Amino acid sequence: MPATFAEATAVKAVDSHTYAAYFDSDWCVGSVPHGGVVTSIFLRVAAAHFRTTLAAQNQPHTISLHLEFLRRTQEGPATLAVRDVKLGRQTSTIHVALSQDGRDEVVGYLTHSNMDTETGLSLKTLWSLHPAPPPRPADFATLFTTGEDPVWVEQTHKPYAKFRKVGNRVRTFLPREGQSLPGLVDEWLRLDSGENFTNESLGFVCDQFPPIIDGLWRREMGDDPVLPFWYPTAVLNLDVKKTLPPEGVECLFVRVRTKSIKNGRMDLEIVILDDAGDLVALSHHVVLVVSSERNMAARRNKI
């Protein structure tokens, strides 16, 4: 039976500034752990660190994350080393380095605060999604159990599902009439296990969606089949705007959009909303578009 999301992103304290994790094969793309799973493990390390070592700060919430994916991660054990960079009254920042077999593979900075007690200027803006997304499902319970909804339908055909194994761990609901624009994906996500999404899940949510190039490819290439590309993340930023309930939520809305795909590199802008339409988080990625063979290639030990 596949590991649950909680199991796949579990971390264990080794000492006050070191944590252990394990990358499960079922949460990989090819031989490489899914970037969103890696990101959620960073979020879990930060949550654990501020709950224990830095408990006196009373800053339990990640409000900002920046990750640099230096090398491919791999299935199996990983070590995450934490360095306390700046401890402040309103925010504190830690540096986390993930290593495997003695190599640093992902490094990042995470900034924490207490979103339940923070105060300061608040103003309503005129921001909204454009184009407007389709109406939310009429009844989520019905959609999840029977699949009946006039606007949304579950994605049942997942291209290259044996390669993109992580896609089998999540249920994805897409607009019945198709996406409103090429290079844009609107979706509702729910974990296949039935687990709820928490703030530590946002790393996964911001990186889980159908390949965004498909509509653009068909517009330029016609009926030629989309090649089995691999989309490794080079840089990922996450800006958390809202705390989810402690028990989590069963689904989240995600919009993904790209502005430029050029020379094997693309940007991604991600907006995450809850079922009430409130902004939960923003994310920006720098992503490479490479042959899937790169995913399975032998690893080199160069720095």
Side-chain angles (χ1 to χ4, degrees), residues 38-275:
V38 175
T39 304
S40 279
I41 285 177
F42 270 74
L43 290 168
R44 290 207 188 280
V45 165
H49 195 64
F50 277 89
R51 190 170 55 247
T52 55
T53 303
L54 298 182
Q57 295 299 115
N58 190 28
Q59 296 166 337
H61 306 122
T62 299
I63 60 171
S64 175
L65 168 148
H66 171 83
L67 296 186
E68 299 270 351
F69 291 77
L70 308 177
R71 300 176 181 85
R72 284 180 293 166
T73 51
Q74 60 189 354
E75 300 171 22
T79 300
L80 295 101
V82 178
R83 178 167 57 89
D84 304 332
V85 177
K86 177 254 186 181
L87 304 181
R89 287 180 296 177
Q90 186 168 356
T91 65
S92 296
T93 300
I94 60 174
H95 176 271
V96 182
L98 183 153
S99 63
Q100 292 181 295
D101 296 336
R103 300 184 306 268
D104 282 350
E105 294 176 334
V106 186
V107 296
Y109 286 93
L110 297 92
T111 297
H112 265 232
S113 185
N114 190 323
M115 297 176 71
D116 294 333
T117 62
E118 63 183 358
T119 59
L121 177 66
S122 297
L123 298 172
K124 293 183 178 179
T125 70
L126 300 179
W127 175 86
S128 64
L129 288 174
H130 182 77
R136 67 193 293 274
D139 183 84
F140 284 102
T142 300
L143 176 63
F144 296 153
T145 55
T146 69
E148 295 180 3
D149 187 85
V151 179
W152 299 89
V153 63
E154 185 166 7
Q155 180 189 28
T156 55
H157 173 63
K158 299 180 179 181
Y160 307 108
K162 290 184 179 180
F163 177 68
R164 299 171 181 152
K165 294 173 285 185
V166 68
N168 301 314
R169 308 276 69 81
V170 65
R171 299 178 66 185
T172 304
F173 299 86
L174 303 172
R176 285 186 181 274
E177 301 300 322
Q179 303 296 344
S180 57
L181 290 173
L184 179 151
V185 170
D186 283 338
E187 63 180 357
W188 285 92
L189 290 183
R190 188 187 190 204
L191 287 169
D192 184 65
S193 63
E195 296 167 274
N196 284 348
F197 291 121
T198 63
N199 275 61
E200 285 75 40
S201 311
L202 294 177
F204 176 70
V205 173
C206 79
D207 198 29
Q208 178 56 38
F209 39 84
I212 199 167
I213 73 165
D214 286 6
L216 298 167
W217 177 281
R218 286 192 293 270
R219 189 180 66 173
E220 296 195 19
M221 306 296 185
D223 294 330
D224 290 351
V226 180
L227 297 178
F229 291 114
W230 176 42
Y231 309 96
T233 303
V235 180
L236 187 152
N237 291 288
L238 180 65
D239 176 4
V240 182
K241 301 294 189 181
K242 180 180 180 179
T243 57
L244 298 174
E247 68 276 13
V249 297
E250 64 179 351
C251 61
L252 287 167
F253 172 85
V254 182
R255 168 168 287 183
V256 187
R257 192 167 190 177
T258 183
K259 300 179 180 67
S260 172
I261 303 173
K262 186 174 183 180
N263 297 328
R265 179 166 55 88
M266 69 176 172
D267 61 279
L268 293 176
E269 178 186 62
I270 296 93
V271 179
I272 302 173
L273 309 179
D274 62 17
D275 61 4

